[in-house]
Amino acid sequence: MSDKILMKGNEAIAEAAIRAGCTHFFGYPITPQNELPAYMAEKLPEQGGVFLQAESEVAAINMVYGASAAGARVMTSSSSPGISLKAEGISYIAGAELPCVIVNMVRAGPGLGGIGPSQSDYFQATKGMAHGDFRLAVLAPDSVQEAVDLTRQAFDIADKYRNPVMILGDGVIGQMMEPVEFKEIDSPELPEKDWIVDGAEGRERNIIHSLRLKTEDLTEHNWKLARKYEQMQEDEVRYEEKLMDDAEVAIVAYGTTARVVKTAIKEARAEGIKVGLIRPISLFPFPKKVIKKAAQQVDCFLTVEMSTGQMVEDVRLAVNGERSVAFYGSPGGAVPSPAEILVKLKEVME
Amino acid sequence: MSDKILMKGNEAIAEAAIRAGCTHFFGYPITPQNELPAYMAEKLPEQGGVFLQAESEVAAINMVYGASAAGARVMTSSSSPGISLKAEGISYIAGAELPCVIVNMVRAGPGLGGIGPSQSDYFQATKGMAHGDFRLAVLAPDSVQEAVDLTRQAFDIADKYRNPVMILGDGVIGQMMEPVEFKEIDSPELPEKDWIVDGAEGRERNIIHSLRLKTEDLTEHNWKLARKYEQMQEDEVRYEEKLMDDAEVAIVAYGTTARVVKTAIKEARAEGIKVGLIRPISLFPFPKKVIKKAAQQVDCFLTVEMSTGQMVEDVRLAVNGERSVAFYGSPGGAVPSPAEILVKLKEVME
Amino acid sequence: MEELAGRPKSLTEQEFHYCPGCTHGIVHRLVAEVIDELDIQEQTIGIAPVGCAVLAYDYFDLDMLEAAHGRPPAVATGIKRVHPDKVVFTYQGDGDYASIGTAESVHAASRGERITTVFINNAIYGMTGGQMAPTTLEGQKATTAPRGRDTKEAGFPLQMSEMLATLEGAVYVARVSVDTPQRIKQAKEAIKKAFKVQLKGLGYALVEVLSTCPTNWGLSPQQALDWLEDNMIPYYPLGELKSVGEVE
Amino acid sequence: MEELAGRPKSLTEQEFHYCPGCTHGIVHRLVAEVIDELDIQEQTIGIAPVGCAVLAYDYFDLDMLEAAHGRPPAVATGIKRVHPDKVVFTYQGDGDYASIGTAESVHAASRGERITTVFINNAIYGMTGGQMAPTTLEGQKATTAPRGRDTKEAGFPLQMSEMLATLEGAVYVARVSVDTPQRIKQAKEAIKKAFKVQLKGLGYALVEVLSTCPTNWGLSPQQALDWLEDNMIPYYPLGELKSVGEVE
Amino acid sequence: MLVELIIAGFGGQGVMLMGQLLTYAGMKAGREVSWIPSYGPEMRGGTANCTVVLADEEIASPLPTEPNVIVVMNRPSLDKFAEKVKTGGKLFVNSSLVDKEVQRQDIEVIEVPANELALDLGIEKVANMVMLGAVVAKLGVVDLETVIDSLSEVLPAHRHNLLELNKKALQQGRELII
Amino acid sequence: MLVELIIAGFGGQGVMLMGQLLTYAGMKAGREVSWIPSYGPEMRGGTANCTVVLADEEIASPLPTEPNVIVVMNRPSLDKFAEKVKTGGKLFVNSSLVDKEVQRQDIEVIEVPANELALDLGIEKVANMVMLGAVVAKLGVVDLETVIDSLSEVLPAHRHNLLELNKKALQQGRELII
Amino acid sequence: MAKVKFETDRCKGCKLCTNVCPQEIIIIEEEANIKGYYPAAVKETEDCIGCAFCALICPDVVIEVFKE
Amino acid sequence: MAKVKFETDRCKGCKLCTNVCPQEIIIIEEEANIKGYYPAAVKETEDCIGCAFCALICPDVVIEVFKE
Ligand SMILES: Cc1ncc(C[n+]2csc(CCOP(=O)(O)OP(=O)(O)O)c2C)c(N)n1
Ligand SMILES: Cc1ncc(C[n+]2csc(CCOP(=O)(O)OP(=O)(O)O)c2C)c(N)n1
Ligand code: SF4
Ligand code: SF4
Ligand code: SF4
Ligand code: SF4
Ligand code: SF4
Ligand code: SF4
Ligand SMILES: [Mg+2]
Ligand SMILES: [Mg+2]
């Protein structure tokens, strides 16, 4: 027996964040992530940290802005409609180059929609989060253990690039209990936070801002951000390949969907179908090279998402016309069944 | 001499909206679109309409939600950070299938950024506006006259599909004065608004909502929305082609950038370079077929945007690997010069 | 036989999804009775919040909308500006009205928007499972205040009605409770007045209703009523805080 | 020679970009003087709003942030919760503080957040070119109120300080003006007190400063001061609205 | 070994705890495990359920579409879930509260008068543990001892006064099967 | 014919109006026209400018990078814009407020003592019209009469009492060139 | 003469009505209703004074009260 | 004895100082400063009483006042 403990995804992420040195949490209630702030409310004060329920998601993300600028490792969490409300604030955080971790336990939209698991915020998370040329690093765990591991990495990536990082899950990841282990991890070398605002005692003053009135400055700033994202593309791509060695078809899926796809693949393999899985773990940076390479091997791709089709565009961009890329979606808060996927898979292979 | 009058883009859009039957406007000040609400404040009350300055962009978009549900043709306008704040509300409007017109006079981001013209909200407008599987129809004029014409169409598209429509411009489109003509246009047949809430007098009551607790309902609803967007792809694609007949290279650009590109093309043609322009007018639905077709003819594409590269992804998706697609960007609030574009064009053609 | 009490016309037949003993149901009935008595069922548009009452659109037999969390006053404004002759009301919880929607609430009141708000103060976030509300009392426990609300960290319970009563546009502001039959009658009177204020076009009208959430308070329905009486009423005194202009 | 007046240490050398006669500059100087006198330059973090004062981060010689429109109180909260021993202040216009930021302002006050707000009420949106502010007076013209503010449509000018003074967490609330040397001295005293309240950890402190916007009022700097005196002070009375606890 | 199990009942019957306890014991026994609850507003005054998977290999989908074991604690749950049991699977029915006959012939139906047996122990609240005892005994994938050992770790500290009672209830449930 | 022109000056000198008037007259004269202002916070206490394009063909870019005509009404504008005039182009300088010599030899520099001439007319405010008169006369792309005719349409109604004065100022500017 | 009528299947057994009845004639039944709640009911209807307190406090609009 | 000092190039010629000076000794110069504004200045310095009103009201921190 290991020292694993059984924990809900939401609580495990909170615990992992605290272990990663997160001292401040600002959030606003929303299903299905409520156990995360509740855990923080319980534990953070015990360690001298601060939990504060903000008056809204808008306030919460701006508190994050302040706390990050003040030098803290800080987190907020929410779910789809709440994330939309944070859009402007996230753009400011990215523009001002502040690190933070944002959890989105996606629920089905649009509008109030439903609270079932969904992946319909993919475009928002990876491309159009808010106004302006910026990106989040987006990490999508498919198990509670991975959620724990990625939470730690999220804080490091945030600090390394001075950029917000999003952990993208859903009700399944957040509500599910699985055994987890909190490994002791050595922190990577991270740049010193010499840019924080804490009263300019004995040093040059610091200024945190996203306004850049001169177009040359803003242009340079935006290219600087773009270079950061390219650097992430070099260094931060994460993915899992499964049974790809001899695969003739590749299913591309992430998060909860990938779990179901694994079952579907097992069943397909049992029927002699040579199918493998490519599971993007970092949605941004997207593992495009891996998919590009796979395009040399497989006959076709099938992308499965809990949406009407979003990541499939990134798959198509990576495949770049070399192979066909089919799509299967479940956009209403229901996890697709392995059987449905199998049917689609067979259809695609014809 | 025609009956053209000289008008600022912002004011011309307001006037066009009023002529299209827009009776209600809710907004919050932000540069560079302030002349639009000011014009509305002046004119709407004269015609028995309502102008109201909301306490925020969040309030404004929710007032739009209410007014649209109540049956009015209604508009709001803002610029990038303000649009980000409207994200949740727009998702609700799309989810509840309400028509409205939203103007975004984009400024350079992220965060407060600058107020110069920019196209860095392309991803937001066309893909990741907010949480959930929905899209806006997005129309991008490149002149004041076109802004006027598209405003009228925007209201019709909104009513036809019961979906929000965005007019995407920038400071140049909004601040520029050009001669415009307000043509008398016959309204297309539009579906009757039998779904509005105005007190259920002598009829079954109506309910406007985006919540759908049963996953089957929400799934069906999302596929219904997806079919709407496919219908738009059939019926609402708008674009301009210029000098494409014999073109060996196609530049893809929209809005203000396309104007500059036209100058660049003129200069390039003078040097004997066979280059043409494909200008998407509807950014969603994107004119992918046109570009796909052009890929059979030209040797390569160059996409020019005032961003670090957003629409270029849609161009690549349309080209689907058939030809190379290069990119030139100007992301800081500055319009690129024809000379820069020409240099890039020559580089690309090598 | 004369009916003394029964199902008001302005409620549908749909059963409430509320927990046993939850006072949301009482207030629904009162609002519907008022609409019946004023005979405005076919002129009224109701707005459901996000909160336990999100499905209010299934219960009121009226034209109804569901608004985003906290935004009913803005949505109501949009409707009222299109149909100034119709009656528009919002039904909102304390999280909705006094936390995320603070700006919309304050400004609808400040504008004197001719709408009516029924504000359910149950000192907790019911729908999401018992988080602290702006109105949660000092020391009261909530999932996000596991040691009880600490005013040093989380601030003081917000007396929203007192605050809004300072605004000129808010012409009727009352706080009522539904913990006893007597107070339920008074609550109905206040709600009725708040609708009449709108019918007269006087300005913004607000009725704060002290309510229970047995589930998240961890009490039986009756204990919850008692807790309300013992703890909420002292901090949130009942009565008309403001009443400007004649309604009758 | 003793210096009676001059450039405070907590201002940089940078020239203000404000229009001639704009009182933003006066208030900047007062805040800097107070910081100098309390000797807290190296402990203070200032937050610039979005509004004409957006570049305040260039002017105050302090650690500074620029916050999103309306959000300085939330940003300040974030900082203060990380550094409870430091001094954090927000500098905000009426659009910022009393319109888009209403929720953040109310809740920072309600929480008794230990921060100080300097709230510039110039009854207009200066930066964006003269739109109506929540504090624009009845009848006052603005680009979005071309016929003058009509309270029936746009509601009443918001007396933000009176409203916030009802909150327990707001322990110091004062309204001052900078239209005469005498009042400027009083304004400085109030600002100083608002910082001391924070240093003592008593709660939220707010100073509303009646200010001019000659450019968008369409008046000369002197006419603007006169207009302020004649029109704003009667509606926005000066003085300490609330002062709880001892600061000296 | 692959157990894919749903436990469903009334809010307040303690079905979540049943699932967690089984999952915890499974983990202790070295199995791969996952537990997932239904969540959200449908819980208001309605039924609650959770899904448990116990497996020898890495668990692919934690959300089986055809569970091989279903436990129903009340009538609405029976109505909702009886159809979902995989052919050849098992359906546990709390016969104290469910008087409806199950029509399916392709599954094994085990009736457990959980509330009555709990009442015998003096407190109806432990009906869930009675049922769990029966389920564990019948499935045989984890020892009941492991489940009992897990009690103190799964029950929150302020409920530890009930450990003994819960243990008894679990044993009571086992009796029924043996 | 293609005139790409920038007019720059102090906020309050009326440079926007100069541009609008020229654009309006251009439109009346059947030209393709566009006008675009600088906008935003840099206007606070700073310089303002606008760009006018008059053309025979459809105007591609309304934002010329190398304008062939630039009009500077004050010193900071000269500093900012003198370099931008296209070789062979024209630079109009309000010599009343600018005493700095322009070094460029590759362009034509036209000095107009606009404020002084305006003062001659009794009101310094119309310096902009004096300058515009000179510009129009020199460029010859629209008749000054068309500009004068446009006055009543471009000036807001409450300023129509100044029509006559503006007309005189325009003519005064023309005199200088002829 | 007053009469009360309980729409038993709507009742959630919250007992609020039992507590407010001045006549103390509302009891909770031993049989659960379709929803699984133990509903309230009046046994000695003749003692009802038609005060309607029960109906006033019932959150689920279960009770009708009539007077002759 | 008091002394005032104007940092002329910071002045925006708003004239607020001229209006508050009890001695009425602040005038506006005829020459524009680098910014193009006509700045304020004190001519009869000896009449200055060091009340610092001018400095108090100056929005651009142009004025320093000293006392011996
Ligand atoms: C933007 C957004 N944030 C958060 C939520 C989650 N949420 C749903 S209801 C609710 C609060 C409910 O509390 P209250 O308004 O007091 O109503 P009650 O349930 O107590 O009646 C919250 C935070 C949401 N749906 N949308
Ligand atoms: C989200 C958002 N909305 C709107 C704006 C545009 N904006 C900039 S400043 C401002 C208001 C300025 O008014 P005020 O706060 O009163 O400050 P003042 O300029 O009068 O000092 C507005 C609306 C913005 N930058 N961001
Ligand atoms: S959770 Fe609370 S407020 Fe919501 S229905 Fe249940 S008792 Fe009522
Ligand atoms: S616009 Fe108004 S507030 Fe802004 S700097 Fe100018 S005078 Fe001051
Ligand atoms: S009407 Fe009054 S007396 Fe009759 S049952 Fe109800 S509460 Fe009791
Ligand atoms: S108050 Fe209503 S729901 Fe509650 S027990 Fe009585 S009848 Fe049933
Ligand atoms: S200090 Fe007083 S007397 Fe001296 S110049 Fe200034 S205002 Fe005048
Ligand atoms: S108050 Fe200051 S800026 Fe204004 S004129 Fe006097 S010295 Fe110059
Ligand atoms: Mg509540
Ligand atoms: Mg202002």
Side-chain angles (χ1 to χ4, degrees), chain D residues 220-238:
Chain D
S220 77
Q222 184 59 49
Q223 286 171 329
L225 290 183
D226 297 343
W227 191 89
L228 184 164
E229 158 123 51
D230 295 344
N231 297 279
M232 288 185 76
I233 294 182
Y235 190 84
Y236 298 113
L238 303 182

Side-chain angles (χ1 to χ4, degrees), chain E residues 57-77:
Chain E
E57 293 170 48
E58 191 196 344
I59 296 169
S61 170
L63 284 166
T65 20
E66 282 202 303
N68 49 23
V69 184
I70 288 186
V71 182
V72 296
M73 295 296 287
N74 68 352
R75 171 71 189 270
S77 299

Side-chain angles (χ1 to χ4, degrees), chain C residues 90-112:
Chain C
T90 71
Y91 183 102
Q92 307 180 249
D94 39 14
D96 201 74
Y97 188 69
S99 191
I100 192 171
T102 308
E104 287 74 16
S105 306
V106 166
H107 284 277
S110 181
R111 277 195 307 271

Side-chain angles (χ1 to χ4, degrees), chain A residues 28-31 34 53 56-57 78-83 85 107 112, chain B residues 88 92, chain C residues 18 22 24 49-54 68-71 91-98 100 119-129 131 133-135 213 216, chain E residues 44:
Chain A
Y28 186 79
I30 189 166
T31 308
N34 287 314
Q53 181 173 316
S56 71
E57 289 86 352
S78 190
S79 176
S80 310
I83 295 291
L85 284 171
R107 44 193 264 181
L112 194 51
Chain B
E88 189 207 22
Y92 269 76
Chain C
Y18 302 111
C22 172
H24 266 302
V50 175
C52 278
V54 65
H69 191 31
R71 319 305 171 197
Y91 183 102
Q92 307 180 249
D94 39 14
D96 201 74
Y97 188 69
I100 192 171
F119 162 37
I120 305 296
N121 178 358
N122 59 8
I124 203 90
Y125 283 30
M127 164 75 119
T128 40
Q131 292 78 15
T135 53
C213 175
N216 288 301
Chain E
R44 295 274 156 279

Side-chain angles (χ1 to χ4, degrees), chain D residues 4 19 90 97 136 144 147 160 166 169 178-179 215 222 248:
Chain D
L4 292 176
C19 306
T90 71
Y97 188 71
T136 294
T144 50
R147 297 159 198 86
M160 193 72 176
T166 65
V178 288
D179 62 323
T215 300
Q222 184 59 49
E248 240 152 0

Side-chain angles (χ1 to χ4, degrees), chain D residues 93-95 120 122-126:
Chain D
D94 40 13
I120 304 296
N122 58 9
I124 203 91
Y125 282 29

Side-chain angles (χ1 to χ4, degrees), chain D residues 122-144:
Chain D
N122 58 9
I124 203 91
Y125 282 29
M127 165 73 121
T128 40
Q131 291 79 14
M132 189 184 70
T135 53
T136 294
L137 293 175
E138 184 164 357
Q140 184 186 340
K141 283 192 182 163
T143 64
T144 50

Side-chain angles (χ1 to χ4, degrees), chain A residues 281-334:
Chain A
I281 297 172
S282 59
L283 304 184
F284 186 89
F286 191 74
K288 53 184 166 195
K289 281 187 203 149
V290 181
I291 290 172
K292 203 179 164 67
K293 216 188 84 212
Q296 306 309 314
Q297 172 194 328
V298 301
D299 298 332
C300 61
F301 291 84
L302 170 62
T303 305
V304 185
E305 293 175 70
M306 293 192 285
S307 78
T308 58
Q310 302 193 4
M311 181 180 70
V312 62
E313 287 198 0
D314 277 334
V315 177
R316 291 206 173 110
L317 280 168
V319 171
N320 201 29
E322 308 256 336
R323 294 288 177 272
S324 73
V325 179
F327 174 73
Y328 185 73
S330 172

